[in-house]
Amino acid sequence: MAGTVATLFRMAGAGWVLAREGAFSQLDPEDMPDGPRRAVTLAQAIARRGVTDQDRSDRLTAALNRLGPSYIKLGQFLATRPDLVGTEVADALGRLRDEIDPFPEDEARATIEKSLGRPVDDLFATFSPPIAAASIAQVHKAEIADDMGARPVAVKVMRPGIRRRFKRDLDTFYEGARLVERVDPASRRLRPVAVVDTLARSVTLEMDLRLEAAALSEMAEASAGDPGFRVPRVEWDYTARDVLTLEWVEGLKMSDVAGLRDAGHDLPLLARRLMQAFLRQALRDGFFHADMHQGNLFVDAAGDIVAVDYGIMGRLNRHQRIFLAEVLFGFIRRDYKRIATVHFAAGYVPGDKHSVEDFAQALRAIGEPIHGQRASEISMARLLTLLFEVTEIFDMETRPELLLVQKTMVVVEGVARTLDPDFDMWAAAEPVVSEWVERHLGPTGQLELVAEGAGAVGRLASELPRLAERAGRLSAEIDRMSEHGLRLDPETIAGIGRSEAHAARWGRVALWVIAAVAVVAGLKWVF
């Protein structure tokens, strides 16, 4: 009881902070069901007055920073979901950077000693105060002196108590998602609980720095030899669950456009290299850096792009990569029927409710306006925004894995255009995408698909005896149930009764708590 009530009050408290900062002001309650409409109307009434759209964006990010690390991560994650929060809110959240106050150096040293089993001064020749701090960890500059010689390194240290904090806040997020699904059945298409599931998995991976080290290692192997892109080297002997040590990157951040220009770097070339590096990762490798904003991208003295912070990674299987390539090429070729067919074949649009022709018509409404423009004016961000707008009409379920790659593509395009305002994304992408399409959708790729199918058939054949045995047992059990019926022992029946009574009681308690919080919030606003 205490845990549930505490979760509800935390949710209400966070809602109050966000409502005051205008987080719900851009939502239109007109077409919402009664419950959500009343909640949004109340939230908009609570919001501060006389706040401009720009101020509201700043206030929203400030509110998330004030609520803590979990909410910063939630905001960054929702920036990838314009279908959930709207494009304006997603844009504001996309500017959210988890740059928060560092924790004390002595706590970082204690974490390193506990993780690596030796004092910091024995491990490193030098060790600096924190130079950057984020929601989950902070970074120190250090120097290693061992048999390989002296070399500078970056030491990433997990924030103390962060796992406990995230676990508590994730409980709040789950309760909020379940509440949304209960009061607004239409929202179930967007799968709010599944959204929190995805966030929880992402955060769980970020909480183990050994997994980030593994991502760095895998990416380094996959991109070895790629022109103009490299990955920092991991120092495995100085890495553990709460500590990640890697090569120190000397270079300029991509956000420092003037500095890059003054250093003599070719900015249009850097823009092309960045887009091509991302597309190689997504299409060729099916494993991509999913947080490629300017703060995570450096340019070294040789002109190579060096990406850091591999805590958030994306994966695409073969069929998802084919889908992505087909959609990109379909819009360029104006082949809307093909794009629609791919959506239906992948099961993203239910064929029992809609026709390929109707979906192709909607895609034409998206694609035709961009074809009167120069290629350099066709924004992937705009195209994807329009594409999101038709998904609800055609009951297209959320595809988190595709949303992540789409969001990353939009971010990469934005970074490229800060380097080169005339950046032509399609011209930059063409060599990589064409090579991949020719390799995987041409005759060679079709032969590989046939070979994969033959292998699957072989595996199925080897499983047939076991499947037949299980089917026989299931058939016998069904025959027994049809003859004697399904019987539950008295203890099971009593347990079901207790569970139902408990659920009903807590449902009533939750409703009263939410009502009380709403009343208190209203009184605060009035007085």
Side-chain angles (χ1 to χ4, degrees), residues 79-111:
T80 72
R81 298 298 306 273
D83 57 328
L84 277 177
V85 299
T87 53
E88 293 183 8
V89 174
D91 288 343
L93 294 173
R95 296 189 291 273
L96 181 65
R97 297 288 175 261
D98 52 355
E99 297 171 354
I100 61 180
D101 293 336
F103 55 90
E105 182 182 340
D106 59 348
E107 293 185 16
R109 285 174 171 266
T111 297

Side-chain angles (χ1 to χ4, degrees), residues 147-174:
D147 295 341
M148 297 175 59
R151 57 197 182 279
V153 292
V155 184
K156 186 174 183 178
V157 185
M158 192 67 69
R159 189 173 285 273
I162 192 65
R163 293 184 182 85
R164 183 175 62 255
R165 175 70 181 270
F166 263 95
K167 182 181 183 304
R168 187 191 71 185
D169 288 342
L170 282 172
D171 289 342
T172 305
F173 299 159
Y174 273 116

Side-chain angles (χ1 to χ4, degrees), residues 1-10 506:
M1 176 176 180
T4 303
V5 172
T7 297
L8 290 170
F9 271 105
R10 284 197 299 270
W506 277 112

